[in-house]
Amino acid sequence: MRSVWRDQPFQSWQPHVSLCISLQLNSLGSDACKEIRDLLLHEKCVVRNLRLTNNPVGVQGAQYLAEALAGNHSLTHLSLLHTALGDQGAEIIAQHLTKNQHLQELNLGYNSLTDAAALHVVEVAKKHATLDKVHLYFNDISEDGKRALHSLRIDRDGVRALVFLTAGTDVSDYWSHILNVVQGNLPFWDRERVRQHLVLILQDLESSRRQAANPWRKAKFLRVESEVKKMLGKLQHGTL
């Protein structure tokens, strides 16, 4: 969809044409987000999946997208992975989510979120009618924050937060998804920051493995640890 953005004026898009719009890595800032808001608020809009990964959306862009979420009736999946939201942008999104009744999955990974913003988003998600998955990996969440997010149960809280590769004393069902996201976006991310996060992920895996009593679970941890170590090695040698 990147060529569509460059070659075709946004105003000429037909809201009923596409169910999925991928605009990642297009240097889209707040002005573009304002037009995206207008698209999503169009009465004939049927866009279900919007990916804005690796764009400088920022706080003002988050404001426009939040306004769109409040009034849109079609969007079910929104990726704002690595879009410079910060805590303020995430808080704005959370405030407007209370007026949304259709979103099912929200990706706020790699946005420098701290505990307060991340937990606020999750608290809103717990009360949301349909939102059951929030991506929060590669943010600046403390150990206490991670424990609070790990304690979430989909059957009790209605939402699952993807933060690390572990889920208590087991490996997360989404470990391969998270590592694939990291590998696919490495050309556009700060490699030193990625390395630091991978080190933390590895430490978390090793700690959880030591707590696991089940030999099968220990073997699963070792497998995932091996994948993270391979990625760290390739990063160090510049082959990834």
Side-chain angles (χ1 to χ4, degrees), residues 24-235:
Q24 57 262 35
L25 200 65
N26 269 284
S27 300
L28 305 183
S30 59
D31 289 344
C33 291
K34 186 176 182 180
E35 297 196 48
I36 292 171
R37 176 198 64 184
D38 295 342
L39 169 71
L40 293 176
L41 291 177
H42 193 286
E43 62 180 8
K44 294 184 179 180
C45 179
V46 291
V47 175
R48 292 177 58 83
N49 191 327
L50 176 61
R51 300 171 186 166
L52 292 171
T53 303
N54 297 324
N55 282 297
V57 169
V59 174
Q60 183 57 62
Q63 178 66 47
Y64 291 133
L65 295 175
E67 292 169 5
L69 281 176
N72 175 270
H73 300 288
S74 64
L75 197 65
T76 59
H77 295 72
L78 174 62
S79 177
L80 296 173
L81 174 69
H82 192 220
T83 50
L85 298 182
D87 282 349
Q88 188 177 354
E91 292 280 4
I92 292 170
I93 294 290
Q95 291 166 12
H96 287 72
L97 270 177
T98 59
K99 301 175 184 177
N100 176 279
Q101 297 295 317
H102 302 278
L103 198 66
Q104 298 173 13
E105 184 171 351
L106 175 63
N107 193 331
L108 299 178
Y110 201 162
N111 271 296
S112 301
L113 306 191
T114 58
D115 290 15
L119 292 171
H120 182 205
V121 170
V122 169
E123 283 303 312
V124 172
K126 286 165 65 173
K127 301 172 185 176
H128 194 281
T130 57
L131 182 58
D132 61 11
K133 191 182 300 178
V134 180
H135 301 244
L136 291 168
Y137 39 81
F138 275 52
N139 280 302
D140 301 328
I141 302 171
S142 72
E143 289 303 315
D144 287 342
K146 289 168 189 170
R147 280 193 288 271
L149 293 169
H150 277 321
S151 69
L152 293 171
R153 284 173 38 193
I154 191 70
D155 58 337
R156 181 191 65 201
D157 302 302
V159 64
R160 178 181 289 111
L162 281 61
V163 187
F164 257 26
L165 306 191
T166 57
T169 56
D170 202 353
V171 174
S172 167
D173 292 338
Y174 299 96
W175 71 267
S176 60
H177 168 80
I178 294 174
L179 289 184
N180 285 337
V181 168
V182 175
Q183 185 164 336
N185 286 281
L186 261 181
F188 322 114
W189 291 2
D190 183 325
R191 286 177 172 254
E192 176 56 24
R193 185 174 180 187
V194 170
R195 187 196 68 78
Q196 292 172 1
H197 276 283
L198 287 176
V199 168
L200 292 174
I201 284 174
L202 183 59
Q203 292 172 351
D204 182 65
L205 284 165
E206 292 171 341
S207 174
S208 296
R209 171 168 52 83
R210 288 192 290 269
Q211 297 175 44
N214 186 299
W216 171 242
R217 287 187 178 179
K218 284 184 179 290
K220 287 169 65 179
F221 277 113
L222 286 170
R223 177 193 171 193
V224 181
E225 287 172 35
S226 175
E227 293 298 322
V228 175
K229 287 177 180 177
K230 286 179 186 177
M231 191 174 289
L232 277 167
K234 290 180 180 179
L235 263 178

